[in-house]
Amino acid sequence: EVQLVESGGVVVQPGGSLRLSCAASGFTFDDYAMHWVRQAPGKGLEWVSLISWDGGATYYADSVKGRFTISRDNSTNSLYLQMNSLGPEDTALYYCAKDGGDLTGGNYFESWGQGTLVTVSS
Amino acid sequence: SYELTQPPSVSVSPGQTARISCSGDALSKHYVYWYQQKPGQAPVVIICKDSERPSGIPERFSGSSSGTTVTLTISGVQAEDEADYYCQSADSSATYVVIGGGTKLTVL
């Protein structure tokens, strides 16, 4: 069974930094791309970032490009999101998601964690 | 920036058919995936590649595609289907993953 457990969400001041982690288990981690997706309170889902299976390719939503960095450690089955220059607009529940790995279908979110809450407030 | 457009809300009575649309210029190039999210829970994928149902998803959920619009159809809606539904695809260059704004399905 796929398990994704996010951690690291806290209350942080505007302009601050934070690193989120996602511990993966139940599948061969280094076979799959991984995503971060966020959801502001009472709002819809927003894709944040994608990293390829080997970490060699990364993609970001325009809203976080230049401020967030996605990375992974395949030796420990871990996914990370380094978040810098945080603003109130970054307040959200951050989900780690496993890509579907369908070579013909494009990227999608096959499995999700339960999320970790980031609150940016003074 | 590229967007997927969904109606904010759809309401149906139990047993009726609910249809939720998702439109975007690049949908004729890329597959669409649909997710169901119930309050306080993480989303779950319910339709893959426009119309494929993952294992464990009830047959009443189906998807279809026509040009730049895709549709999620829920036949014989049940009270437990009340949730938010999101479509997801990619932009024309497949650089960005894009998620629609979501549709709240209310079962009357």
Side-chain angles (χ1 to χ4, degrees), chain A residues 45-72:
Chain A
L45 302 171
E46 179 187 16
W47 171 75
V48 172
S49 185
L50 160 66
I51 188 167
S52 62
W53 65 274
D54 63 350
T58 57
Y59 305 87
Y60 300 91
D62 287 345
S63 58
V64 307
K65 197 173 296 182
R67 300 188 299 123
F68 290 11
T69 302
I70 191 171
S71 61
R72 64 190 296 162

PDB file of all heavy atoms in Angstrom, chain A residues 45-72:
ATOM      1  N   LEU A  45      -7.519  23.200  -5.516  1.00  0.00           N
ATOM      2  CA  LEU A  45      -6.186  22.624  -5.585  1.00  0.00           C
ATOM      3  C   LEU A  45      -5.312  23.420  -6.530  1.00  0.00           C
ATOM      4  O   LEU A  45      -5.791  23.916  -7.559  1.00  0.00           O
ATOM      5  CB  LEU A  45      -6.269  21.177  -6.082  1.00  0.00           C
ATOM      6  CG  LEU A  45      -7.124  20.221  -5.257  1.00  0.00           C
ATOM      7  CD1 LEU A  45      -7.270  18.891  -6.006  1.00  0.00           C
ATOM      8  CD2 LEU A  45      -6.516  19.997  -3.887  1.00  0.00           C
ATOM      9  N   GLU A  46      -4.045  23.528  -6.205  1.00  0.00           N
ATOM     10  CA  GLU A  46      -3.075  24.209  -7.066  1.00  0.00           C
ATOM     11  C   GLU A  46      -1.814  23.350  -7.153  1.00  0.00           C
ATOM     12  O   GLU A  46      -1.165  23.087  -6.133  1.00  0.00           O
ATOM     13  CB  GLU A  46      -2.723  25.596  -6.540  1.00  0.00           C
ATOM     14  CG  GLU A  46      -1.700  26.328  -7.396  1.00  0.00           C
ATOM     15  CD  GLU A  46      -1.210  27.632  -6.786  1.00  0.00           C
ATOM     16  OE1 GLU A  46      -1.410  27.850  -5.579  1.00  0.00           O
ATOM     17  OE2 GLU A  46      -0.606  28.436  -7.527  1.00  0.00           O
ATOM     18  N   TRP A  47      -1.469  22.942  -8.359  1.00  0.00           N
ATOM     19  CA  TRP A  47      -0.211  22.239  -8.551  1.00  0.00           C
ATOM     20  C   TRP A  47       0.941  23.192  -8.265  1.00  0.00           C
ATOM     21  O   TRP A  47       0.934  24.336  -8.704  1.00  0.00           O
ATOM     22  CB  TRP A  47      -0.121  21.699  -9.975  1.00  0.00           C
ATOM     23  CG  TRP A  47       1.221  21.146 -10.318  1.00  0.00           C
ATOM     24  CD1 TRP A  47       1.753  19.948  -9.917  1.00  0.00           C
ATOM     25  CD2 TRP A  47       2.221  21.766 -11.131  1.00  0.00           C
ATOM     26  NE1 TRP A  47       3.011  19.795 -10.429  1.00  0.00           N
ATOM     27  CE2 TRP A  47       3.325  20.888 -11.186  1.00  0.00           C
ATOM     28  CE3 TRP A  47       2.295  22.974 -11.820  1.00  0.00           C
ATOM     29  CZ2 TRP A  47       4.475  21.171 -11.903  1.00  0.00           C
ATOM     30  CZ3 TRP A  47       3.437  23.270 -12.535  1.00  0.00           C
ATOM     31  CH2 TRP A  47       4.516  22.381 -12.581  1.00  0.00           C
ATOM     32  N   VAL A  48       1.962  22.695  -7.542  1.00  0.00           N
ATOM     33  CA  VAL A  48       3.099  23.520  -7.149  1.00  0.00           C
ATOM     34  C   VAL A  48       4.358  23.139  -7.902  1.00  0.00           C
ATOM     35  O   VAL A  48       5.030  24.004  -8.475  1.00  0.00           O
ATOM     36  CB  VAL A  48       3.347  23.401  -5.628  1.00  0.00           C
ATOM     37  CG1 VAL A  48       4.643  24.103  -5.228  1.00  0.00           C
ATOM     38  CG2 VAL A  48       2.158  23.954  -4.847  1.00  0.00           C
ATOM     39  N   SER A  49       4.680  21.833  -7.901  1.00  0.00           N
ATOM     40  CA  SER A  49       5.959  21.441  -8.472  1.00  0.00           C
ATOM     41  C   SER A  49       5.985  19.954  -8.779  1.00  0.00           C
ATOM     42  O   SER A  49       5.242  19.166  -8.184  1.00  0.00           O
ATOM     43  CB  SER A  49       7.085  21.799  -7.486  1.00  0.00           C
ATOM     44  OG  SER A  49       8.354  21.544  -8.041  1.00  0.00           O
ATOM     45  N   LEU A  50       6.873  19.592  -9.700  1.00  0.00           N
ATOM     46  CA  LEU A  50       7.061  18.212 -10.143  1.00  0.00           C
ATOM     47  C   LEU A  50       8.551  17.930 -10.242  1.00  0.00           C
ATOM     48  O   LEU A  50       9.309  18.782 -10.699  1.00  0.00           O
ATOM     49  CB  LEU A  50       6.399  18.028 -11.508  1.00  0.00           C
ATOM     50  CG  LEU A  50       6.819  16.850 -12.397  1.00  0.00           C
ATOM     51  CD1 LEU A  50       6.427  15.529 -11.770  1.00  0.00           C
ATOM     52  CD2 LEU A  50       6.193  16.998 -13.790  1.00  0.00           C
ATOM     53  N   ILE A  51       8.946  16.741  -9.825  1.00  0.00           N
ATOM     54  CA  ILE A  51      10.332  16.311  -9.979  1.00  0.00           C
ATOM     55  C   ILE A  51      10.347  14.938 -10.623  1.00  0.00           C
ATOM     56  O   ILE A  51       9.538  14.071 -10.275  1.00  0.00           O
ATOM     57  CB  ILE A  51      11.074  16.316  -8.620  1.00  0.00           C
ATOM     58  CG1 ILE A  51      12.568  16.048  -8.808  1.00  0.00           C
ATOM     59  CG2 ILE A  51      10.456  15.322  -7.640  1.00  0.00           C
ATOM     60  CD1 ILE A  51      13.412  16.342  -7.559  1.00  0.00           C
ATOM     61  N   SER A  52      11.244  14.739 -11.549  1.00  0.00           N
ATOM     62  CA  SER A  52      11.361  13.461 -12.240  1.00  0.00           C
ATOM     63  C   SER A  52      11.891  12.386 -11.299  1.00  0.00           C
ATOM     64  O   SER A  52      12.367  12.673 -10.198  1.00  0.00           O
ATOM     65  CB  SER A  52      12.279  13.601 -13.453  1.00  0.00           C
ATOM     66  OG  SER A  52      13.583  13.983 -13.027  1.00  0.00           O
ATOM     67  N   TRP A  53      11.863  11.151 -11.756  1.00  0.00           N
ATOM     68  CA  TRP A  53      12.232  10.022 -10.897  1.00  0.00           C
ATOM     69  C   TRP A  53      13.648  10.130 -10.348  1.00  0.00           C
ATOM     70  O   TRP A  53      13.927   9.717  -9.218  1.00  0.00           O
ATOM     71  CB  TRP A  53      12.076   8.720 -11.676  1.00  0.00           C
ATOM     72  CG  TRP A  53      13.034   8.613 -12.826  1.00  0.00           C
ATOM     73  CD1 TRP A  53      12.865   9.094 -14.096  1.00  0.00           C
ATOM     74  CD2 TRP A  53      14.321   8.010 -12.821  1.00  0.00           C
ATOM     75  NE1 TRP A  53      13.965   8.829 -14.860  1.00  0.00           N
ATOM     76  CE2 TRP A  53      14.879   8.159 -14.117  1.00  0.00           C
ATOM     77  CE3 TRP A  53      15.082   7.343 -11.845  1.00  0.00           C
ATOM     78  CZ2 TRP A  53      16.153   7.669 -14.445  1.00  0.00           C
ATOM     79  CZ3 TRP A  53      16.333   6.850 -12.168  1.00  0.00           C
ATOM     80  CH2 TRP A  53      16.863   7.020 -13.463  1.00  0.00           C
ATOM     81  N   ASP A  54      14.525  10.730 -11.144  1.00  0.00           N
ATOM     82  CA  ASP A  54      15.926  10.806 -10.728  1.00  0.00           C
ATOM     83  C   ASP A  54      16.331  12.193 -10.237  1.00  0.00           C
ATOM     84  O   ASP A  54      17.507  12.430  -9.930  1.00  0.00           O
ATOM     85  CB  ASP A  54      16.835  10.388 -11.876  1.00  0.00           C
ATOM     86  CG  ASP A  54      16.714  11.314 -13.082  1.00  0.00           C
ATOM     87  OD1 ASP A  54      15.799  12.163 -13.097  1.00  0.00           O
ATOM     88  OD2 ASP A  54      17.526  11.183 -14.020  1.00  0.00           O
ATOM     89  N   GLY A  55      15.367  13.098 -10.203  1.00  0.00           N
ATOM     90  CA  GLY A  55      15.681  14.454  -9.771  1.00  0.00           C
ATOM     91  C   GLY A  55      16.301  15.317 -10.851  1.00  0.00           C
ATOM     92  O   GLY A  55      16.616  16.481 -10.618  1.00  0.00           O
ATOM     93  N   GLY A  56      16.458  14.759 -12.034  1.00  0.00           N
ATOM     94  CA  GLY A  56      17.133  15.474 -13.095  1.00  0.00           C
ATOM     95  C   GLY A  56      16.310  16.560 -13.765  1.00  0.00           C
ATOM     96  O   GLY A  56      16.860  17.441 -14.427  1.00  0.00           O
ATOM     97  N   ALA A  57      15.011  16.494 -13.597  1.00  0.00           N
ATOM     98  CA  ALA A  57      14.129  17.501 -14.183  1.00  0.00           C
ATOM     99  C   ALA A  57      13.146  17.980 -13.136  1.00  0.00           C
ATOM    100  O   ALA A  57      12.571  17.175 -12.392  1.00  0.00           O
ATOM    101  CB  ALA A  57      13.371  16.930 -15.375  1.00  0.00           C
ATOM    102  N   THR A  58      12.986  19.280 -13.067  1.00  0.00           N
ATOM    103  CA  THR A  58      12.043  19.872 -12.109  1.00  0.00           C
ATOM    104  C   THR A  58      11.204  20.929 -12.812  1.00  0.00           C
ATOM    105  O   THR A  58      11.670  21.579 -13.760  1.00  0.00           O
ATOM    106  CB  THR A  58      12.775  20.514 -10.917  1.00  0.00           C
ATOM    107  OG1 THR A  58      13.704  21.494 -11.404  1.00  0.00           O
ATOM    108  CG2 THR A  58      13.528  19.470 -10.095  1.00  0.00           C
ATOM    109  N   TYR A  59       9.975  21.079 -12.361  1.00  0.00           N
ATOM    110  CA  TYR A  59       9.045  22.029 -12.952  1.00  0.00           C
ATOM    111  C   TYR A  59       8.286  22.726 -11.817  1.00  0.00           C
ATOM    112  O   TYR A  59       8.028  22.120 -10.774  1.00  0.00           O
ATOM    113  CB  TYR A  59       8.047  21.303 -13.856  1.00  0.00           C
ATOM    114  CG  TYR A  59       8.700  20.462 -14.919  1.00  0.00           C
ATOM    115  CD1 TYR A  59       9.065  19.140 -14.663  1.00  0.00           C
ATOM    116  CD2 TYR A  59       8.970  20.979 -16.189  1.00  0.00           C
ATOM    117  CE1 TYR A  59       9.687  18.361 -15.632  1.00  0.00           C
ATOM    118  CE2 TYR A  59       9.584  20.209 -17.163  1.00  0.00           C
ATOM    119  CZ  TYR A  59       9.944  18.901 -16.877  1.00  0.00           C
ATOM    120  OH  TYR A  59      10.553  18.145 -17.831  1.00  0.00           O
ATOM    121  N   TYR A  60       7.935  23.981 -12.085  1.00  0.00           N
ATOM    122  CA  TYR A  60       7.286  24.778 -11.046  1.00  0.00           C
ATOM    123  C   TYR A  60       6.132  25.592 -11.614  1.00  0.00           C
ATOM    124  O   TYR A  60       6.179  26.068 -12.753  1.00  0.00           O
ATOM    125  CB  TYR A  60       8.287  25.745 -10.408  1.00  0.00           C
ATOM    126  CG  TYR A  60       9.461  25.076  -9.753  1.00  0.00           C
ATOM    127  CD1 TYR A  60      10.637  24.838 -10.462  1.00  0.00           C
ATOM    128  CD2 TYR A  60       9.396  24.658  -8.428  1.00  0.00           C
ATOM    129  CE1 TYR A  60      11.721  24.196  -9.872  1.00  0.00           C
ATOM    130  CE2 TYR A  60      10.473  24.022  -7.823  1.00  0.00           C
ATOM    131  CZ  TYR A  60      11.625  23.793  -8.553  1.00  0.00           C
ATOM    132  OH  TYR A  60      12.692  23.169  -7.952  1.00  0.00           O
ATOM    133  N   ALA A  61       5.126  25.798 -10.785  1.00  0.00           N
ATOM    134  CA  ALA A  61       4.084  26.756 -11.133  1.00  0.00           C
ATOM    135  C   ALA A  61       4.692  28.152 -11.119  1.00  0.00           C
ATOM    136  O   ALA A  61       5.625  28.431 -10.351  1.00  0.00           O
ATOM    137  CB  ALA A  61       2.941  26.670 -10.121  1.00  0.00           C
ATOM    138  N   ASP A  62       4.165  29.024 -11.946  1.00  0.00           N
ATOM    139  CA  ASP A  62       4.687  30.388 -12.012  1.00  0.00           C
ATOM    140  C   ASP A  62       4.627  31.081 -10.659  1.00  0.00           C
ATOM    141  O   ASP A  62       5.470  31.914 -10.343  1.00  0.00           O
ATOM    142  CB  ASP A  62       3.889  31.203 -13.038  1.00  0.00           C
ATOM    143  CG  ASP A  62       4.203  30.803 -14.467  1.00  0.00           C
ATOM    144  OD1 ASP A  62       5.224  30.118 -14.693  1.00  0.00           O
ATOM    145  OD2 ASP A  62       3.425  31.178 -15.363  1.00  0.00           O
ATOM    146  N   SER A  63       3.631  30.733  -9.857  1.00  0.00           N
ATOM    147  CA  SER A  63       3.418  31.395  -8.580  1.00  0.00           C
ATOM    148  C   SER A  63       4.530  31.122  -7.563  1.00  0.00           C
ATOM    149  O   SER A  63       4.661  31.846  -6.576  1.00  0.00           O
ATOM    150  CB  SER A  63       2.073  30.977  -7.981  1.00  0.00           C
ATOM    151  OG  SER A  63       2.023  29.575  -7.816  1.00  0.00           O
ATOM    152  N   VAL A  64       5.328  30.073  -7.795  1.00  0.00           N
ATOM    153  CA  VAL A  64       6.385  29.727  -6.836  1.00  0.00           C
ATOM    154  C   VAL A  64       7.767  29.696  -7.463  1.00  0.00           C
ATOM    155  O   VAL A  64       8.771  29.528  -6.754  1.00  0.00           O
ATOM    156  CB  VAL A  64       6.095  28.369  -6.156  1.00  0.00           C
ATOM    157  CG1 VAL A  64       4.702  28.359  -5.545  1.00  0.00           C
ATOM    158  CG2 VAL A  64       6.262  27.212  -7.133  1.00  0.00           C
ATOM    159  N   LYS A  65       7.828  29.858  -8.773  1.00  0.00           N
ATOM    160  CA  LYS A  65       9.107  29.757  -9.478  1.00  0.00           C
ATOM    161  C   LYS A  65      10.082  30.797  -8.930  1.00  0.00           C
ATOM    162  O   LYS A  65       9.729  31.959  -8.749  1.00  0.00           O
ATOM    163  CB  LYS A  65       8.879  29.958 -10.965  1.00  0.00           C
ATOM    164  CG  LYS A  65      10.020  29.498 -11.850  1.00  0.00           C
ATOM    165  CD  LYS A  65       9.634  29.580 -13.324  1.00  0.00           C
ATOM    166  CE  LYS A  65       8.515  28.646 -13.673  1.00  0.00           C
ATOM    167  NZ  LYS A  65       8.174  28.689 -15.117  1.00  0.00           N
ATOM    168  N   GLY A  66      11.296  30.341  -8.644  1.00  0.00           N
ATOM    169  CA  GLY A  66      12.316  31.232  -8.112  1.00  0.00           C
ATOM    170  C   GLY A  66      12.309  31.325  -6.599  1.00  0.00           C
ATOM    171  O   GLY A  66      13.249  31.862  -5.998  1.00  0.00           O
ATOM    172  N   ARG A  67      11.244  30.822  -5.969  1.00  0.00           N
ATOM    173  CA  ARG A  67      11.163  30.869  -4.495  1.00  0.00           C
ATOM    174  C   ARG A  67      11.181  29.472  -3.882  1.00  0.00           C
ATOM    175  O   ARG A  67      11.686  29.288  -2.771  1.00  0.00           O
ATOM    176  CB  ARG A  67       9.879  31.577  -4.061  1.00  0.00           C
ATOM    177  CG  ARG A  67       9.750  33.006  -4.531  1.00  0.00           C
ATOM    178  CD  ARG A  67       8.545  33.694  -3.896  1.00  0.00           C
ATOM    179  NE  ARG A  67       7.285  33.042  -4.229  1.00  0.00           N
ATOM    180  CZ  ARG A  67       6.430  32.564  -3.334  1.00  0.00           C
ATOM    181  NH1 ARG A  67       6.699  32.661  -2.037  1.00  0.00           N
ATOM    182  NH2 ARG A  67       5.289  32.005  -3.725  1.00  0.00           N
ATOM    183  N   PHE A  68      10.612  28.513  -4.581  1.00  0.00           N
ATOM    184  CA  PHE A  68      10.525  27.141  -4.065  1.00  0.00           C
ATOM    185  C   PHE A  68      11.481  26.242  -4.843  1.00  0.00           C
ATOM    186  O   PHE A  68      11.705  26.451  -6.044  1.00  0.00           O
ATOM    187  CB  PHE A  68       9.111  26.591  -4.231  1.00  0.00           C
ATOM    188  CG  PHE A  68       8.068  27.215  -3.329  1.00  0.00           C
ATOM    189  CD1 PHE A  68       8.323  28.353  -2.576  1.00  0.00           C
ATOM    190  CD2 PHE A  68       6.807  26.643  -3.236  1.00  0.00           C
ATOM    191  CE1 PHE A  68       7.359  28.915  -1.762  1.00  0.00           C
ATOM    192  CE2 PHE A  68       5.825  27.185  -2.420  1.00  0.00           C
ATOM    193  CZ  PHE A  68       6.107  28.328  -1.689  1.00  0.00           C
ATOM    194  N   THR A  69      11.995  25.222  -4.157  1.00  0.00           N
ATOM    195  CA  THR A  69      12.864  24.239  -4.788  1.00  0.00           C
ATOM    196  C   THR A  69      12.433  22.842  -4.362  1.00  0.00           C
ATOM    197  O   THR A  69      12.373  22.544  -3.164  1.00  0.00           O
ATOM    198  CB  THR A  69      14.337  24.452  -4.401  1.00  0.00           C
ATOM    199  OG1 THR A  69      14.738  25.777  -4.771  1.00  0.00           O
ATOM    200  CG2 THR A  69      15.228  23.428  -5.109  1.00  0.00           C
ATOM    201  N   ILE A  70      12.126  22.010  -5.338  1.00  0.00           N
ATOM    202  CA  ILE A  70      11.761  20.634  -5.072  1.00  0.00           C
ATOM    203  C   ILE A  70      13.014  19.769  -5.206  1.00  0.00           C
ATOM    204  O   ILE A  70      13.880  20.030  -6.051  1.00  0.00           O
ATOM    205  CB  ILE A  70      10.653  20.157  -6.041  1.00  0.00           C
ATOM    206  CG1 ILE A  70      10.080  18.813  -5.615  1.00  0.00           C
ATOM    207  CG2 ILE A  70      11.144  20.127  -7.488  1.00  0.00           C
ATOM    208  CD1 ILE A  70       8.828  18.394  -6.416  1.00  0.00           C
ATOM    209  N   SER A  71      13.113  18.762  -4.354  1.00  0.00           N
ATOM    210  CA  SER A  71      14.245  17.843  -4.430  1.00  0.00           C
ATOM    211  C   SER A  71      13.810  16.492  -3.865  1.00  0.00           C
ATOM    212  O   SER A  71      12.742  16.366  -3.269  1.00  0.00           O
ATOM    213  CB  SER A  71      15.455  18.379  -3.658  1.00  0.00           C
ATOM    214  OG  SER A  71      15.140  18.528  -2.277  1.00  0.00           O
ATOM    215  N   ARG A  72      14.643  15.499  -4.066  1.00  0.00           N
ATOM    216  CA  ARG A  72      14.329  14.171  -3.563  1.00  0.00           C
ATOM    217  C   ARG A  72      15.608  13.442  -3.194  1.00  0.00           C
ATOM    218  O   ARG A  72      16.681  13.743  -3.726  1.00  0.00           O
ATOM    219  CB  ARG A  72      13.536  13.377  -4.587  1.00  0.00           C
ATOM    220  CG  ARG A  72      14.267  13.084  -5.884  1.00  0.00           C
ATOM    221  CD  ARG A  72      13.320  12.503  -6.946  1.00  0.00           C
ATOM    222  NE  ARG A  72      12.775  11.217  -6.549  1.00  0.00           N
ATOM    223  CZ  ARG A  72      11.683  10.677  -7.109  1.00  0.00           C
ATOM    224  NH1 ARG A  72      11.026  11.322  -8.052  1.00  0.00           N
ATOM    225  NH2 ARG A  72      11.256   9.494  -6.701  1.00  0.00           N
TER     226      ARG A  72
END
